[in-house]
Structure formats: structure tokens, C-alpha cells
Amino acid sequence: ITVNGTIIADGTPDDSILFTVKDTTGFAGTPNNGAWFGIVFINNGSGMNGLMNDNDSSVFNYCLFEYAKDNDIQFDRTGGAIKSVFFSKFIVSNSVFRNNKALQGGAIGLSELSSPVIINNIFYNNTAVMNGGALSVQNFSSPLIAGNIISNNMVKGYQYSSGGGIYLSKSEATI
């Protein structure tokens, strides 16, 4: 799902919004079988080229994100369920991220000045090949990450991988 405008996914504690794939057969393997390619905000030259700067904030509240993978051909292969590049105007709250995969940021990948609000979520069983089993925050991004439960996420695939839960590089997240 490539967002060129605003998306409002506002569930309730008793009726969350489900983002998943119908058939997970092949999810554990490669290429991207048994998965969907997540929600993508790209506001640079390969996306909207700055046209999303005036958008209202997108909201993901009481959502469940599962069985998403980064797309092998997308910009920088970060973020299984949510990828943000040069975009900050979204809030993720009270949601669950499970069984998502990416090269970096198994559940959420933020890069290039992306600084959303990520509060009161649960991240578990997400996997990254290189960095950030649950979250990857890179290249001058400054998100607010507060009140989240991050457990049983992993990084596997490279000898020098790091950040099973959260990976920060050249960024200043408030945690």
C-alpha cells in the first residue's frame, strides 16, 4: 500500500483493523511468497518528491500488522509492515506488529528524516536480516518511541547484524 495522501486506520480495543495477507504459504522462504509489501510513505525523488509535505497526519490506532515483508525492489529495503522515507506525519499507537520481515526494521523502518510518533504498541516475532528486528531508525530520523513492548524480535543473516529490538544509526530517537 503506497500512501500518497493520508490514511486513517482507527480501530478500537474490541475491533482492531487487520493488515495481513490471505495465504501465508511460503512466508518463511524467499522471495516474497506468503506476504504483502506493507504500508509505504516515500516523500523523496523516488516517491512524491516533497508533494506530501502538506498532508494531514496519517493514523494507525488499534491495528494488527502481520505477515508483511519489504519488497526486494523498493527503496532501501527497510520496514516490513511500515516504511517511511523523508516523511514524519503519522502516528502509530495501540497496535500489534507480529511476524513481519525486512532487510532492516522487521516491523517498521524509518529513514531519511522520518520522525513519526510510535506509542503504546506491541512488537513481537519480527525479523530483520541485517539490523532492527522490530524497528530500524536511520539517517537523521528523530521519532518518539514510547510505551511500547518489544520482545522476541530477532536479527539473523549477517555476521555483523545488530539491534534485535531497535537499531539506531545516525539518528536521535526519543525513547
Side-chain angles (χ1 to χ4, degrees), residues 5-151:
T6 300
I7 184 168
I8 306 293
D10 193 12
T12 67
D14 296 323
D15 190 17
S16 63
I17 296 171
L18 176 62
F19 291 92
T20 193
V21 65
K22 182 177 180 180
D23 182 2
T24 61
T25 303
F27 180 78
T30 55
N32 291 321
N33 297 329
W36 62 291
F37 296 137
I39 295 169
V40 179
F41 297 94
I42 298 181
N43 192 31
N44 70 342
S46 66
M48 292 300 293
N49 203 20
L51 295 177
M52 292 170 43
N53 292 343
D54 294 332
N55 285 11
D56 289 335
S57 291
S58 289
V59 174
F60 301 95
N61 188 37
Y62 290 106
C63 296
L64 170 59
F65 297 88
E66 62 181 10
Y67 299 106
K69 287 184 182 178
D70 67 340
N71 185 336
D72 285 340
I73 60 172
Q74 284 181 328
F75 180 83
D76 81 12
R77 295 197 55 212
T78 186
I82 296 178
K83 169 203 297 281
S84 178
V85 181
F86 287 108
F87 192 71
S88 299
K89 295 175 81 173
F90 65 96
I91 299 168
V92 182
S93 60
N94 304 307
S95 295
V96 175
F97 292 82
R98 67 181 182 204
N99 302 318
N100 300 291
K101 292 184 178 182
L103 183 67
Q104 300 188 79
I108 297 178
L110 307 173
S111 64
E112 313 302 332
L113 302 167
S114 294
S115 302
V117 175
I118 302 170
I119 56 172
N120 301 326
N121 301 289
I122 299 171
F123 295 87
Y124 70 96
N125 293 344
N126 299 290
T127 305
V129 175
M130 285 181 58
N131 301 306
L135 296 140
S136 175
V137 181
Q138 300 185 53
N139 300 329
F140 312 104
S141 297
S142 301
L144 169 62
I145 302 171
N148 298 288
I149 298 171
I150 300 171
S151 67

Side-chain angles (χ1 to χ4, degrees), residues 129-131 155-162:
V129 175
M130 285 181 58
N131 301 306
V155 176
K156 61 179 184 177
Y158 287 108
Q159 179 180 359
Y160 300 106
S161 300
S162 60

